[in-house]
Amino acid sequence: MSANNRTDDQRPFDLRVAFTAKSAQLSASMLAAPKLVGHMPTIGDGSEAGWIKMLRDFLPTRYAVDKAFVVDSCGHQSLQLDVVVYDRHFTPLFWEMGGALFLPAESVYAVFEAKQELNLGYLREAGEKVASVRRLHRTNGPIVHAGGTVDKPKPPPRVLGGLLAGRSSWNPPFGQSLREGLDNLAEDERIDLGCGLEHGAFELPESAKAVFDLVSAGADVGLAFVAMRLLARLQQMGSVPAMSIDAYTSVLSQPR
């Protein structure tokens, strides 16, 4: 076998061509979103419906994707969020009222703002939306399994945050202006992933100590890049914490 671990019967596979095709497929998925049918806006209109459909189609079924508010057991609520990636395997869906979805904070993996373009104002707005979720209280109950109980489970993972858009208003799209905008966000407003469909996508890796560690991908693979990097970050997070049902239902009981 050669140094590249190829055997004579192995055929080459062009990963970039494959990811380019995947980006095109995900773009088509966005255009097929129900809310886009009828008035046929462009893929860059910032519609959360398109992003939600794309991520639902792409992510494994353990992850649900919706527009929602997030609440905690202390009675606090986030700002309205365009795109929320959350757990539906371990976490119950408590409230859906008046067409609005309210999710328990423990269920949330990632939140995104969906806009027409990447610019400084929308970057700050996305940071505020992300921070409104990260500041919520999350319970972390014991985990019961076949061998006993894990009394000290791992801390809840940090919620991912991002900005999804049709284009970037900066030139270059992911250059100094974006980096300075990211650098000026507070720690709980940090944006991890972003996409401007006409220009590509970017990621600020978890290990990055400065915005100069920002990585980006071109428009031909931008959608596949942001979707794959989101999946990679979700895998690193593992499962959501076991929520304390008692903490949420304590308001239902009254002392006698």
Side-chain angles (χ1 to χ4, degrees):
M1 185 175 291
S2 69
N4 293 327
N5 295 323
R6 280 191 58 191
T7 61
D8 292 339
D9 62 344
Q10 287 181 320
R11 297 181 179 181
F13 183 80
D14 192 322
L15 281 171
R16 186 170 185 88
V17 169
F19 280 125
T20 300
K22 186 63 179 179
S23 285
Q25 180 187 26
L26 294 174
S27 297
S29 170
M30 290 184 66
L31 286 173
K35 289 186 180 180
L36 298 184
V37 176
H39 52 86
M40 294 301 290
T42 66
I43 195 172
D45 75 343
S47 168
E48 65 269 13
W51 290 106
I52 288 171
K53 175 172 172 53
M54 186 275 287
L55 290 174
R56 280 179 181 168
D57 290 346
F58 175 79
L59 292 174
T61 54
R62 65 176 291 189
Y63 303 108
V65 188
D66 275 298
K67 183 172 184 174
F69 294 92
V70 180
V71 299
D72 67 16
S73 60
C74 300
H76 301 129
Q77 176 182 306
S78 75
L79 298 171
Q80 188 173 38
L81 306 156
D82 291 336
V83 182
V84 183
V85 180
Y86 63 101
D87 170 74
R88 282 293 284 124
H89 185 68
F90 296 106
T91 313
L93 178 60
F94 283 149
W95 310 281
E96 187 170 6
M97 297 177 289
L101 187 64
F102 295 83
L103 303 171
E106 291 83 356
S107 72
V108 177
Y109 288 104
V111 297
F112 295 90
E113 184 77 346
K115 293 296 184 182
Q116 288 78 18
E117 63 181 19
L118 300 178
N119 61 36
L120 184 59
Y122 287 147
L123 192 68
R124 290 172 175 167
E125 185 176 336
E128 292 174 0
K129 296 283 189 79
V130 173
S132 75
V133 177
R134 289 177 176 154
R135 292 168 185 163
L136 295 175
H137 175 69
R138 288 186 287 171
T139 61
N140 193 11
I143 298 174
V144 180
H145 57 89
T149 302
V150 179
D151 294 319
K152 294 183 179 179
K154 67 177 183 179
R158 174 180 163 278
V159 174
L160 294 173
L163 176 58
L164 305 171
R167 63 191 70 85
S168 173
S169 66
W170 290 301
N171 185 19
F174 309 121
Q176 184 65 23
S177 296
L178 170 62
R179 294 167 193 264
E180 289 178 356
L182 291 169
D183 197 37
N184 288 329
L185 296 175
E187 179 59 32
D188 59 2
E189 297 175 333
R190 174 174 166 140
I191 297 299
D192 303 291
L193 292 161
C195 185
L197 287 172
E198 292 182 11
H199 300 99
F202 70 87
E203 178 189 16
L204 190 59
E206 186 176 9
S207 60
K209 297 181 180 179
V211 294
F212 299 102
D213 297 320
L214 191 79
V215 295
S216 62
D220 60 331
V221 293
L223 263 180
F225 176 85
V226 75
M228 290 292 290
R229 294 313 305 159
L230 171 59
L231 181 57
R233 300 288 286 268
L234 292 174
Q235 288 180 335
Q236 293 171 6
M237 294 169 71
S239 298
V240 294
M243 66 183 296
S244 170
I245 302 299
D246 291 344
Y248 281 89
T249 57
S250 62
V251 297
L252 302 179
S253 59
Q254 298 179 357
R256 294 181 178 179

